[in-house]
Each structure stands twice: as structure tokens, then as C-alpha cells.
């Protein structure tokens, strides 16, 4: 079973916050692969519902691009 982190991003202005989130994730969970799915610019929050269709992982942790990981995310 593959485990990984999925980010869904669209529109302008997500690059800086996404990189901050990815850096904080890597500092705590360097073992987790990451997939970033860029949606069309006209996407809305409702398009997040298709995350199960775009993840390459069997077990997916979805993080918003503005999430800062401060501690372990094990469950």
C-alpha cells in the first residue's frame, strides 16, 4: 500500500505558500512522497471533491497549500 500527501492547487498566488507547506512537511515527514495536482484556474472549492480521482496513492493525506506542519501526522 502506498502512502503519500496530496495538494490540490489552482489560480495565482499559491506557489509561495505551497513551498512553505512542503518544506514544513519534509522537515517532519521526509519519508512521505508528495503529489501536487494543479487544477484549472477556474476551479472552485467544490473541485476538491475529485481528490480521490487524482491521487496516485492508496492512502492519501490531503493538505491545503497553506498548511504548516508542526509535528508528526501519524495516525
Amino acid at each position: 500500500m502506498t502512502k503519500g500527501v496530496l495538494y490540490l492547487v489552482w489560480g495565482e498566488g499559491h506557489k509561495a505558500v505551497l513551498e512553505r507547506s512542503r518544506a514544513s512537511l519534509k522537515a517532519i515527514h521526509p519519508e512521505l512522497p508528495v503529489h501536487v495536482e494543479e487544477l484549472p484556474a477556474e476551479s472552485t472549492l467544490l473541485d476538491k471533491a475529485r481528490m480521490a480521482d487524482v491521487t496516485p496513492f492508496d492512502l492519501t493525506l490531503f493538505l491545503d497549500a497553506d498548511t504548516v506542519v508542526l509535528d508528526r501526522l501519524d495516525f
Side-chain angles (χ1 to χ4, degrees):
M1 176 180 294
T2 59
K3 297 179 186 179
V5 176
L6 173 68
Y7 290 97
L8 294 177
V9 295
W10 66 91
E12 298 296 319
H14 67 269
K15 298 221 185 281
V17 293
L18 175 61
E19 288 310 310
R20 181 181 69 172
S21 183
R22 289 185 70 174
S24 69
L25 175 67
K26 186 175 182 179
I28 305 294
H29 284 284
E31 76 283 2
L32 285 178
V34 173
H35 177 75
V36 178
E37 183 74 21
E38 294 204 32
L39 301 177
E42 64 276 2
S43 297
T44 68
L45 292 175
L46 294 175
D47 293 304
K48 284 185 177 183
R50 32 175 302 242
M51 73 177 71
D53 298 332
V54 299
T55 183
F57 309 114
D58 297 316
L59 183 61
T60 302
L61 171 62
F62 170 77
L63 293 179
D64 282 320
D66 61 351
T67 301
V68 176
V69 180
L70 301 175
D71 204 351
R72 299 285 304 171
L73 301 171
D74 300 300
F75 59 93

